[in-house]
């Protein structure tokens, strides 16, 4: 993605991640091949996503946006996990998945156990997605 004006001679290349939840999985049949797609509910990046000073990304699932663009190709998605922020019930911390799902599940279970012992409250984790 490029950000510039008509008169700008120095193009800036950037990337903006979109966070959301898979609602449905579709298969588009082109007779000779099938293309899987995800129908998603996207969180509005302007009011539903924030990055804390520590570098952790937080999302608010009450701030849904981009209703006119619900579909993405499966190759555009990456797996992320949302862990409820113990200090705010509406904000969730984004943890990025890895290729080895089992390793990531073990790390999340460890994080939840450690946090549960420290805060004496449980944290719900849910698998969601991130579009790059």
């Amino acid at each position: 993605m490029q950000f510039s004006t008509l008169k700008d001679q120095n193009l800036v290349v950037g990337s903006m991640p979109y966070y959301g939840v898979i609602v449905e999985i579709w298969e588009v049949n082109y007779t000779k091949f099938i293309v899987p797609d995800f129908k998603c509910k996207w969180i509005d990046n302007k009011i539903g996503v924030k990055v804390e000073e520590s570098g952790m990304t937080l999302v608010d699932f009450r701030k849904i946006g981009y209703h006119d663009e619900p579909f993405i190709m499966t190759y555009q998605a990456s797996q992320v996990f949302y862990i409820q922020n113990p200090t705010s019930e509406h904000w969730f911390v984004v943890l990025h998945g890895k290729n080895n799902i089992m390793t990531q599940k073990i790390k999340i279970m460890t994080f939840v156990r450690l946090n549960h012992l420290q805060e004496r409250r449980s944290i719900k984790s849910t698998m969601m997605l991130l579009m790059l």
Side-chain angles (χ1 to χ4, degrees):
M1 181 181 297
Q2 298 178 354
F3 303 96
S4 65
T5 64
L6 196 58
K7 298 177 183 178
D8 192 1
Q9 298 299 317
N10 300 317
L11 297 178
V12 177
V13 178
S15 176
M16 176 184 262
Y18 291 87
Y19 297 94
V21 181
I22 298 172
V23 178
E24 296 174 8
I25 300 173
W26 288 38
E27 287 185 342
V28 181
N29 188 345
Y30 289 102
T31 308
K32 293 188 179 197
F33 59 94
I34 296 173
V35 178
D37 294 329
F38 292 144
K39 182 177 181 183
C40 308
K41 282 189 179 178
W42 297 109
I43 299 167
D44 190 335
N45 277 354
K46 295 177 187 167
I47 57 174
V49 178
K50 66 180 179 180
V51 179
E52 290 189 335
E53 290 178 12
S54 63
M56 297 187 82
T57 303
L58 301 171
V59 296
D60 186 349
F61 289 107
R62 299 173 301 161
K63 313 292 186 194
I64 301 297
Y66 314 110
H67 299 285
D68 56 341
E69 295 285 339
F71 290 97
I72 62 167
M73 306 288 284
T74 54
Y75 73 85
Q76 295 175 300
S78 295
Q79 187 177 36
V80 297
F81 299 87
Y82 300 115
I83 306 292
Q84 188 171 10
N85 187 351
T87 60
S88 173
E89 65 184 54
H90 299 296
W91 289 95
F92 289 77
V93 178
V94 178
L95 296 177
H96 293 270
K98 294 192 176 188
N99 292 339
N100 187 345
I101 302 300
M102 219 39 217
T103 304
Q104 190 65 22
K105 284 182 182 178
I106 291 169
K107 287 181 181 177
I108 287 176
M109 289 169 47
T110 305
F111 174 80
V112 171
R113 261 193 237 114
L114 288 173
N115 200 26
H116 180 68
L117 293 173
Q118 292 171 355
E119 298 289 330
R120 298 285 188 238
R121 57 192 286 199
S122 63
I123 296 176
K124 299 174 188 172
S125 66
T126 310
M127 293 193 322
M128 304 296 177
L129 65 93
L130 157 73
M131 185 177 107
L132 297 173

